[in-house]
Amino acid sequence: MGTVSMGTAETMGRRRPPCSRPLLGACALLCAATTVLLGHILLRDLAVTPQEPHGFSREPEEKHGAHQQGAGGPGPRPGAAPTQCSVPPSNRFDCAPDRAVTQEQCEARGCCYAPVGPPRGSQMGPPWCFFPPSYPSYRLGNLTSTDTGYTASLTRASPTFFPKDILRLRLDVLLETESRLHFTIKDPASRRYEVPVETPRVRSRAPSTLYSVEFSEEPFGVVVRRKLDGRVLLDTAVAPLFFADQFLQLSSSLPSQHVTGLAEHLGPLMLSTNWTKVTLWNRDLAPTPDANLYGSHPFYLVLEDGGLAHGVFLLNSNAMDVVLQPSPALSWRSTGGILDVYVFLGPEPKSVVQQYLDVIGRPFMPPYWALGFHLCRWGYSSTAVTRQVVENMTRAGFPLDVQWNDLDYMDGRRDFTFNKDGFGDFAAMVQEFHQGGRRYVMIVDPAISSSGPAGSYRPYDEGLRRGVFITNETGQPLIGQVWPGPTAFPDFTNPETLDWWQDMVAEFHAQVPFDGMWIDMNEPSNFVKGSVDGCPDNDLENPPYVPGVAGGTLRAATICASSRQSLSTHYNLHNLYGLTEAWASSRALVKARGTRPFVISRSTFAGHGQHAGHWTGDVESSWEQLALSVPEILLFNLLGVPLVGADICGFRGSTSEELCVRWTQLGAFYPFMRNHNDLQSLPQEPYRFSEPAQRAMRMALALRYTLLPHLYTLFHGAHTRGDTVARPLFLEFPEDPHTWTVDRQLLWGGALLVTPVLEPGKVEVTGYFPAGTWYNLQAVSVEALGSLSSAIRSEGQWVTLPAPLDTINLHLRAGHIIPLQGPGLTTTESRKQPMALAVALTAGGEARGELFWDDGESLGVLERGAYTQVTFLAKNNTVVNELVHVDGEGAGLQLRRVAVLGVASAPQQVLSNGAPVSNFTYSPDTQTLDIPVSLMVGQQFLISWS
């Protein structure tokens, strides 16, 4: 009976969007049909999510009557103790997010008070002070159709306990595409800060959609359903909407407990909905659980029953908390801006990611050399030491594409300088690296030294003259303290700063021909709180709500929130600092070098991947952080930042030989592969270890370099289609719930499954193998493709694999073809080697794959057509290539071998373009057919066996 009344209450309190006039007749029929159907859908929905749509408890019918009645009037005003308080703990929404309150203070807010202990293993536990069902929220009025969707007014009859409530709001709902819904809630009377990033603009509503939208009038709510199954993906009426000047809260039900996203944090790929708070406020903090770290990405993805998925993005750059609770539900709590929400309908997880990237931008295409091995440490104190490292790597037979330097090269740790003692022949060293086919990258911090006498340091003098620095309340440059001592902070939202930065980069590049920029400390980090003069006492420095930031204040380890930037206050723009510096640096590199830019940044925000990659900061040399690097790499791929990696062997503290070997093996499958080390730690270059350890690392690096054509092709898919490169298993196998929580393995694209050892003293490893055939590829080389060992035929199960210290388990999925290339000590060498194909047949004898190839560094290759793209297809005992586009370098690529895995019986004859191949080999044990050929990748071929 209660359930039926919930259905009725739901129907009574909801408004369906009005039809546009010409459709009125159809609409009347539709509405009649809808009314009949709605009760049925609601009942079915309730069976799916065991909670009332409004998040209120299942109560006897008269309570619903009371709730319905509340919908007619304003409900209890804050100040009156509420009467309906029996809300189950998991459904409670916090009525005192800003501070601890007594029962008396809680009831004075018009809220319920009932102490309860936190559940086991949860970070925070249910609130003691919580909203009653009747707590006043906004009321929806004047709902009208527009060309793009709907608009309405939202009014609140009584203010809340936060200062400066905005009592009248405007709701705009845009049906932007079939799979994307967008709604904003703003103050119609005054223009508030909005995130200054470009997003798609639409002029008309999508003709058909995967979603339906309904509205609850009072309390106001937006309800988004998936049309396919009627499932409610979003219901914002579960808790009151708050929209005060410095506190915005929007809550929503979740259709499932399986949520990922909300970076950057340290932990598993799937977030716990057992009372978890994720704080977004970019912060220089070595990766620590339950703390705000270097980046902010207010996007989450939910896996739904049956393998469907949806995503939600709140485009808001202010300091915020996101609270997850077991009902399940989620609350966004931001300290400013507007509510600007996108909902992506998928329907499968892969499409959700692509739809998110349609809004924030797809990843940049890295230069080919960026995918090689990078080596760095803080403490390479001179060009002599740096040269010696490169020489040692070469002598020990380790590939190295990019040599880096940390702060050591600078004069007084100042940007765009080098010290004449250790780095007098800096330019000559970099030129030597270039002659050896290598590249060079150095660190650049945003903070500019401000303490020298006038005229002594050009970047500061010029910056001052051109007005590029963030200012304090007196209009003077805010001065903090970073590595060089007193520093000013460039304001990258100022167009003049972009030009100044470009000039500084170009002038330094004219002295030292570096190839890329490593931008660190760009949260921005500051060694004093706020500034050397402190911060003013105002609402921006001491907002009424401070999210759960490390250090307890917004100014902790950064600059004053009230400092001024060209576009707005730092309070609003802080989380965009790394993103704006990455854009400025990418732009400056293009201007200085004329080729594809390479930027790796510590601080990030949504959309970062368009301009730069990311490394995961100051990780510790520990097994725990080795294991946690896997979910972090997967998460950043879901967020459109595929060029990501952790410091191999760890940055802080000294590594052990075993840890460094295992980290190098896993790191060979980070999209961005760099070994980097702290000043105080023991050395950890690959050549420092025992011969068996070196051999294991050499094998891992050779494996990576052999697979680089495939990795580069995956980056092309990310750049052009919004694909992921490193991929969680659930993205490829969403219908298998066993994959959803797997975050100790990763896929490269859809073809390669990596199962690393993440614990000490292990010689075997257990991994999950989704249904299908998986061919062991750990010993792959272009010469010896035929020596592959047997396949795993899985029905979707956990498999224990041998994993001695020299082994990382790598498996190729049946149905895929991957291009391989002979390795070299640099990509300059390896790009000249002949290629091979590994063809993994399904039981039906089919497979496909692709290769994208260009010169590896030019700009505009797609626009100019200066690339080669080839599809490989296997079926009916043949392998052929289809030439999508052939031009430039790829035309000359030689194909020397084709290994076909899964050939059931020995062929009598093999033909290559009609000519018999006499020296093919077939292994009945591994069912591998190894075919030596002499073909060109960019010319049509047909290989067949019978």
Side-chain angles (χ1 to χ4, degrees):
M1 185 69 196
T3 311
V4 175
S5 80
M6 288 199 297
T8 341
E10 173 98 349
T11 319
M12 286 161 65
R14 287 272 148 88
R15 280 257 299 263
R16 300 206 148 253
C19 274
S20 50
R21 298 245 175 239
L23 287 171
L24 209 52
C27 189
L29 289 170
L30 190 75
C31 290
T34 308
T35 314
V36 176
L37 270 169
L38 191 59
H40 173 65
I41 288 174
L42 288 166
L43 290 173
R44 194 180 58 192
D45 258 354
L46 289 165
V48 176
T49 49
Q51 79 194 51
E52 215 225 292
H54 281 186
F56 303 136
S57 54
R58 295 193 172 204
E59 295 278 284
E61 192 155 353
E62 63 274 13
K63 287 288 166 76
H64 286 288
H67 168 54
Q68 239 7 74
Q69 200 179 340
R77 301 203 175 281
T83 52
Q84 321 146 271
C85 287
S86 51
V87 176
S90 67
N91 289 38
R92 293 179 179 183
F93 289 87
D94 195 350
C95 179
D98 50 328
R99 60 193 177 98
V101 294
T102 62
Q103 178 163 357
E104 192 179 4
Q105 291 167 326
C106 173
E107 290 174 352
R109 290 183 167 192
C111 289
C112 302
Y113 188 84
V116 60
R120 278 180 63 172
S122 79
Q123 190 192 321
M124 45 192 275
W128 292 12
C129 180
F130 53 95
F131 297 112
S134 54
Y135 191 89
S137 182
Y138 286 83
R139 179 191 177 94
L140 176 117
N142 308 328
L143 183 66
T144 40
S145 273
T146 64
D147 289 347
T148 48
Y150 308 101
T151 185
S153 62
L154 306 178
T155 47
R156 181 181 262 293
S158 51
T160 68
F161 46 87
F162 276 103
K164 302 184 194 168
D165 274 300
I166 298 163
L167 297 175
R168 187 178 174 80
L169 300 170
R170 175 187 166 114
L171 169 72
D172 286 290
V173 180
L174 294 88
L175 284 59
E176 292 194 338
T177 70
E178 178 188 45
S179 54
R180 183 174 83 229
L181 174 71
H182 180 196
F183 67 88
T184 58
I185 299 175
K186 301 182 185 184
D187 177 358
S190 78
R191 188 167 168 75
R192 293 173 60 80
Y193 164 75
E194 297 182 27
V195 182
V197 298
E198 273 185 56
T199 52
R201 293 275 174 262
V202 298
R203 296 211 166 82
S204 60
R205 66 166 74 193
S208 69
T209 59
L210 299 175
Y211 50 85
S212 64
V213 187
E214 301 155 33
F215 303 99
S216 165
E217 276 184 71
E218 186 156 15
F220 158 70
V222 176
V223 180
V224 182
R225 290 176 190 277
R226 189 183 290 290
K227 279 183 181 171
L228 179 71
D229 54 10
R231 181 176 288 148
V232 174
L233 306 183
L234 200 76
D235 179 356
T236 70
V238 292
L241 168 67
F242 278 68
F243 204 118
D245 184 40
Q246 289 181 273
F247 182 80
L248 286 66
Q249 176 165 289
L250 182 72
S251 300
S252 171
S253 60
L254 294 167
S256 131
Q257 306 273 0
H258 300 282
V259 185
T260 184
L262 304 176
E264 185 171 2
H265 58 264
L266 186 71
L269 183 59
M270 286 294 157
L271 291 158
S272 166
T273 54
N274 189 18
W275 297 108
T276 300
K277 179 161 70 179
V278 178
T279 301
L280 304 183
W281 179 249
N282 295 355
R283 162 75 197 232
D284 174 359
L285 183 67
T288 311
D290 303 329
N292 52 307
L293 302 180
Y294 311 109
S296 292
H297 296 259
F299 165 82
Y300 68 81
L301 182 150
V302 180
L303 294 171
E304 307 162 32
D305 290 348
L308 302 180
H310 72 278
V312 175
F313 173 43
L314 173 64
L315 179 51
N316 181 297
S317 63
N318 288 82
M320 71 171 78
D321 282 330
V322 191
V323 177
L324 293 134
Q325 65 192 71
S327 44
L330 176 146
S331 297
W332 302 97
R333 292 182 195 151
S334 175
T335 54
I338 64 164
L339 294 171
D340 189 349
V341 179
Y342 289 87
V343 186
F344 309 103
L345 269 280
E348 73 294 317
K350 215 178 263 189
S351 299
V352 173
V353 172
Q354 289 170 327
Q355 290 153 14
Y356 175 49
L357 300 193
D358 286 343
V359 170
I360 62 162
R362 293 188 187 132
F364 81 107
M365 185 69 186
Y368 196 96
W369 56 262
L371 307 184
F373 181 61
H374 301 247
L375 184 58
C376 187
R377 91 161 287 175
W378 184 8
Y380 292 152
S381 54
S382 66
T383 53
V385 169
T386 310
R387 280 187 174 102
Q388 190 62 55
V389 168
V390 174
E391 195 181 316
N392 292 346
M393 288 290 286
T394 307
R395 198 179 295 144
F398 286 106
L400 173 63
D401 255 274
V402 194
Q403 181 58 46
W404 295 41
N405 278 115
D406 206 317
L407 295 168
D408 309 274
Y409 78 89
M410 295 180 183
D411 179 19
R413 296 181 167 179
R414 296 177 303 168
D415 278 349
F416 309 117
T417 66
F418 59 93
N419 73 70
K420 305 300 183 279
D421 299 338
F423 285 81
D425 61 345
F426 196 6
M429 177 188 79
V430 174
Q431 280 153 358
E432 284 163 36
F433 292 163
H434 290 166
Q435 284 154 15
R438 294 192 172 90
R439 303 302 197 290
Y440 178 79
V441 169
M442 81 276 146
I443 197 168
V444 181
D445 291 335
I448 298 293
S449 173
S450 61
S451 59
S456 67
Y457 179 47
R458 181 167 157 76
Y460 183 65
D461 297 333
E462 268 298 285
L464 214 49
R465 186 179 73 75
R466 291 161 74 167
V468 307
F469 298 118
I470 295 176
T471 55
N472 59 21
E473 76 274 26
T474 69
Q476 296 302 306
L478 176 141
I479 304 299
Q481 195 151 356
V482 194
W483 296 115
T487 49
F489 296 82
D491 168 14
F492 293 104
T493 69
N494 179 352
E496 186 60 44
T497 309
L498 300 181
D499 293 340
W500 162 83
W501 190 251
Q502 186 172 293
D503 292 345
M504 295 305 106
V505 168
E507 288 171 22
F508 194 62
H509 189 267
Q511 297 176 67
V512 182
F514 58 89
D515 299 286
M517 291 170 70
W518 166 27
I519 55 175
D520 190 12
M521 306 292 286
N522 54 349
E523 291 71 32
S525 178
N526 185 1
F527 298 162
V528 296
K529 278 189 181 178
S531 83
V532 292
D533 304 314
C535 299
D537 181 8
N538 59 33
D539 289 346
L540 296 181
E541 297 298 337
N542 306 300
Y545 179 76
V546 180
V549 295
T553 62
L554 296 184
R555 73 183 77 100
T558 190
I559 62 177
C560 299
S562 60
S563 57
R564 299 289 316 172
Q565 296 188 230
S566 167
L567 280 182
S568 188
T569 58
H570 192 70
Y571 179 90
N572 291 326
L573 295 167
H574 171 86
N575 281 344
L576 304 180
Y577 196 84
L579 173 68
T580 54
E581 192 202 5
W583 184 60
S585 302
S586 170
R587 181 177 176 267
L589 280 169
V590 169
K591 192 80 173 167
R593 297 180 69 252
T595 57
R596 235 173 273 170
F598 173 79
V599 178
I600 293 288
S601 171
R602 191 168 73 180
S603 181
T604 63
F605 184 76
H608 181 87
Q610 287 182 90
H611 313 293
H614 171 61
W615 96 102
T616 63
D618 297 347
V619 296
E620 201 182 339
S621 295
S622 70
W623 290 94
E624 181 191 25
Q625 298 238 329
L626 165 70
L628 286 170
S629 73
V630 180
E632 179 107 22
I633 268 66
L634 295 175
L635 184 53
F636 271 88
N637 271 267
L638 296 175
L639 299 170
V641 188
L643 190 67
V644 58
D647 286 343
I648 289 166
C649 306
F651 174 74
R652 289 180 299 130
S654 294
T655 189
S656 68
E657 179 165 284
E658 185 192 3
L659 176 62
C660 201
V661 168
R662 292 306 195 190
W663 212 318
T664 305
Q665 289 170 338
L666 171 60
F669 293 93
Y670 291 160
F672 166 58
M673 183 185 191
R674 180 182 73 156
N675 175 324
H676 176 45
N677 192 7
D678 197 359
L679 184 62
Q680 314 299 336
S681 311
L682 291 173
Q684 61 187 35
E685 297 86 358
Y687 56 76
R688 297 280 186 172
F689 298 97
S690 71
E691 193 41 54
Q694 287 192 44
R695 200 161 49 243
M697 292 181 185
R698 232 177 261 115
M699 283 170 67
L701 281 158
L703 194 50
R704 180 187 181 87
Y705 272 69
T706 301
L707 293 165
L708 284 182
H710 178 57
L711 181 61
Y712 193 62
T713 302
L714 291 175
F715 268 98
H716 171 72
H719 177 60
T720 57
R721 297 188 295 266
D723 294 347
T724 48
V725 175
R727 194 171 292 181
L729 272 68
F730 75 70
L731 214 67
E732 207 58 36
F733 302 95
E735 289 172 21
D736 178 355
H738 293 109
T739 64
W740 292 4
T741 56
V742 174
D743 61 7
R744 295 169 71 87
Q745 292 167 279
L746 64 149
L747 290 158
W748 261 15
L752 291 171
L753 177 60
V754 184
T755 307
V757 173
L758 303 173
E759 293 168 66
K762 299 285 190 217
V763 291
E764 52 181 35
V765 63
T766 302
Y768 186 74
F769 282 75
T773 301
W774 299 88
Y775 297 94
N776 186 344
L777 216 56
Q778 72 205 24
V780 68
S781 74
V782 171
E783 293 75 44
L785 279 167
S787 63
L788 299 167
S789 56
S790 57
I792 292 170
R793 287 176 176 77
S794 173
E795 291 172 10
Q797 63 210 64
W798 293 90
V799 180
T800 299
L801 308 158
L805 191 63
D806 66 355
T807 300
I808 179 161
N809 278 279
L810 177 68
H811 289 81
L812 175 60
R813 180 181 168 196
H816 291 264
I817 300 175
I818 59 167
L820 309 166
Q821 193 168 31
L825 292 183
T826 62
T827 53
T828 309
E829 276 181 37
S830 68
R831 283 174 58 86
K832 297 171 186 164
Q833 304 294 325
M835 298 197 114
L837 295 178
V839 180
L841 300 178
T842 59
E846 297 189 3
R848 69 174 293 137
E850 64 172 335
L851 171 69
F852 175 84
W853 194 265
D854 57 16
D855 70 6
E857 63 175 9
S858 290
L859 294 161
V861 291
L862 296 178
E863 294 75 8
R864 288 184 288 120
Y867 65 93
T868 292
Q869 196 169 0
V870 180
T871 303
F872 305 107
L873 295 168
K875 60 178 179 191
N876 304 331
N877 296 353
T878 63
V879 177
V880 300
N881 63 343
E882 285 183 358
L883 308 179
V884 180
H885 184 88
V886 178
D887 188 67
E889 305 228 347
L893 283 172
Q894 301 173 2
L895 182 65
R896 286 287 170 267
R897 300 187 92 80
V898 176
V900 190
L901 316 175
V903 177
S905 55
Q908 299 306 301
Q909 187 184 41
V910 175
L911 302 175
S912 172
N913 283 345
V917 179
S918 56
N919 54 344
F920 72 87
T921 54
Y922 177 76
S923 158
D925 296 345
T926 61
Q927 298 196 335
T928 304
L929 173 62
D930 195 8
I931 310 169
V933 292
S934 186
L935 299 167
M936 303 299 276
V937 172
Q939 292 174 13
Q940 280 197 308
F941 62 74
L942 186 153
I943 299 162
S944 60
W945 59 96
S946 56

